């Protein structure tokens, strides 16, 4: 392997190399990867949070694309809570499904990823049918 010496400002025989200022270039390979890592900024979406003491609908949550959506349910409550998705400005809000079965439907406290969104304009709503207690919710990325 030929070494590239300073003052050469380029590395013609390598597809990718790096080095310190005034130091020889070092080839990139499995044992010497680029000294970088992918950095992803925090999601810019605004979490949907609140409490419900009676049945109702909360939302919308406007997700950032290509990120997971996490639903957190806490409190002392009984009933059914379901995450709904709309792609037509809330004219139609449909339950989430996986393999044809309902998904994102809960009867107890939860903290889990429920969806990944890739369609611009999609909105999420939380539908709760409560029989008692107070539900605290958070839909976020």
């Amino acid at each position: 392997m030929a070494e590239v010496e300073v003052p050469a400002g380029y590395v013609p025989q390598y597809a990718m190399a790096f080095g310190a200022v005034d130091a020889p270039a070092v080839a990139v390979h499995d044992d010497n990867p680029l000294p970088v890592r992918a950095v992803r900024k925090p999601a810019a979406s605004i979490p949907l949070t609140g409490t419900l003491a009676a049945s109702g609908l909360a939302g919308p949550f406007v997700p950032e694309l290509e990120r997971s959506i996490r639903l957190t349910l806490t409190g002392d409550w009984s009933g059914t809570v379901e995450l709904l998705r709309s792609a037509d400005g809330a004219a139609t809000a449909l339950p989430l499904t996986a393999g044809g079965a309902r998904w994102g439907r809960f009867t107890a406290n939860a903290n889990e990823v429920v969806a990944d969104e890739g369609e611009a304009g999609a909105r999420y709503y939380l539908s709760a049918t409560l029989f008692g207690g107070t539900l605290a919710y958070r839909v976020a990325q």
Side-chain angles (χ1 to χ4, degrees):
M1 178 187 308
E3 227 177 74
V4 177
E5 297 290 333
V6 174
Y10 60 93
V11 183
Q13 76 263 39
Y14 297 116
M16 180 119 15
F18 67 94
V21 175
D22 296 330
V26 179
V28 174
H29 51 79
D30 287 343
D31 294 326
N32 189 46
L34 282 173
V36 297
R37 65 180 176 92
V39 176
R40 192 168 189 188
K41 293 180 181 180
S45 58
I46 298 168
L48 172 65
T49 61
T51 58
L52 290 171
S55 298
L57 187 69
F61 171 69
V62 181
E64 186 173 317
L65 298 181
E66 308 306 325
R67 288 186 180 266
S68 297
I69 298 168
R70 178 173 292 275
L71 174 63
T72 305
L73 304 173
T74 60
D76 185 17
W77 59 278
S78 62
T80 302
V81 177
E82 188 166 30
L83 197 62
L84 308 176
R85 180 183 181 274
S86 175
D88 60 8
T92 307
L94 301 170
L96 304 179
T97 59
R102 283 203 161 164
W103 170 256
R105 187 175 198 181
F106 301 89
T107 57
N109 290 337
N111 180 23
E112 63 185 78
V113 172
V114 291
D116 290 315
E117 188 54 62
E119 183 178 354
R123 304 290 183 260
Y124 287 79
Y125 299 85
L126 195 70
S127 174
T129 303
L130 298 179
F131 304 124
T134 301
L135 166 72
Y137 61 86
R138 185 172 196 268
V139 181
Q141 293 180 298

